[in-house]
Amino acid sequence: LYGCLRDIVDAARAQYAYCPPIKMDNIMLDSAATMQAEYQAYKEERTVENVAPYRTTEQRLKKYGLGTRGTELTSRAKASLGAEEYCYYDLCLEWVKQLLKNAKTAAVLLDRQYTYLGFGYAFDQYMKYAYASFVFANDRAYLRQ
């Protein structure tokens, strides 16, 4: 799933903004994103807000030892198409298409300043929707404030 998502995000960034490939091999960013994706699945709604003491993206990044420089996007997609289940490609494409439809989220996704991506996903209790969280950061996120 991670490889498929990396390919789709890199293709979108290369096609629309001529950006270099994004780096996705950071367990700290992935942990912050997974925390938010699991909360979204529990609440069954798309949100970047969480419960205290990790309400904001910055607080979640600090929990995992990073600085407060990062931006988070969330997405939701159906986990199945009727009786058929989506493959990884279809699921990732639905998440990224939803981000590219909105001008504000597309600007973050295609921004050249972000070189790292943390990714987390979770399914709701009925396995009807798949929730994703994308945490974008750059080298300054690794500087503790």
Side-chain angles (χ1 to χ4, degrees):
L1 186 62
Y2 283 85
C4 185
L5 182 77
R6 178 188 295 132
D7 292 343
I8 290 175
V9 168
D10 283 343
R13 287 171 56 98
Q15 181 178 357
Y16 297 118
Y18 306 106
C19 295
I22 200 156
K23 301 173 189 121
M24 284 187 65
D25 300 324
N26 189 311
I27 191 72
M28 294 180 286
L29 286 174
D30 289 343
S31 298
T34 301
M35 175 188 266
Q36 184 60 24
E38 288 173 352
Y39 179 75
Q40 291 179 91
Y42 172 73
K43 294 296 270 185
E44 294 184 10
E45 69 177 89
R46 235 179 57 149
T47 180
V48 292
E49 295 286 320
N50 206 319
V51 294
Y54 307 115
R55 183 172 300 278
T56 65
T57 304
E58 291 82 15
Q59 291 168 336
R60 288 189 293 278
L61 289 173
K62 285 179 83 170
K63 176 188 181 352
Y64 291 105
L66 296 168
T68 59
R69 307 249 180 180
T71 303
E72 184 170 24
L73 299 176
T74 58
S75 187
R76 179 178 92 160
K78 284 194 169 222
S80 63
L81 183 63
E84 296 180 28
E85 292 183 359
Y86 278 153
C87 64
Y88 286 160
Y89 176 79
D90 295 331
L91 190 58
C92 292
L93 192 61
E94 287 298 315
W95 283 329
V96 174
K97 275 188 351 186
Q98 189 176 44
L99 297 178
L100 289 173
K101 283 181 183 178
N102 186 334
K104 289 182 181 180
T105 58
V108 173
L109 179 68
L110 303 175
D111 196 345
R112 295 181 66 90
Q113 77 169 331
Y114 298 119
T115 55
Y116 294 97
L117 173 63
F119 170 65
Y121 66 95
F123 293 92
D124 64 356
Q125 66 179 352
Y126 303 111
M127 300 291 284
K128 186 175 181 179
Y129 291 102
Y131 293 87
S133 175
F134 304 89
V135 178
F136 292 90
N138 54 24
D139 292 331
R140 297 185 77 186
Y142 297 97
L143 302 173
R144 294 287 310 231
Q145 272 81 30

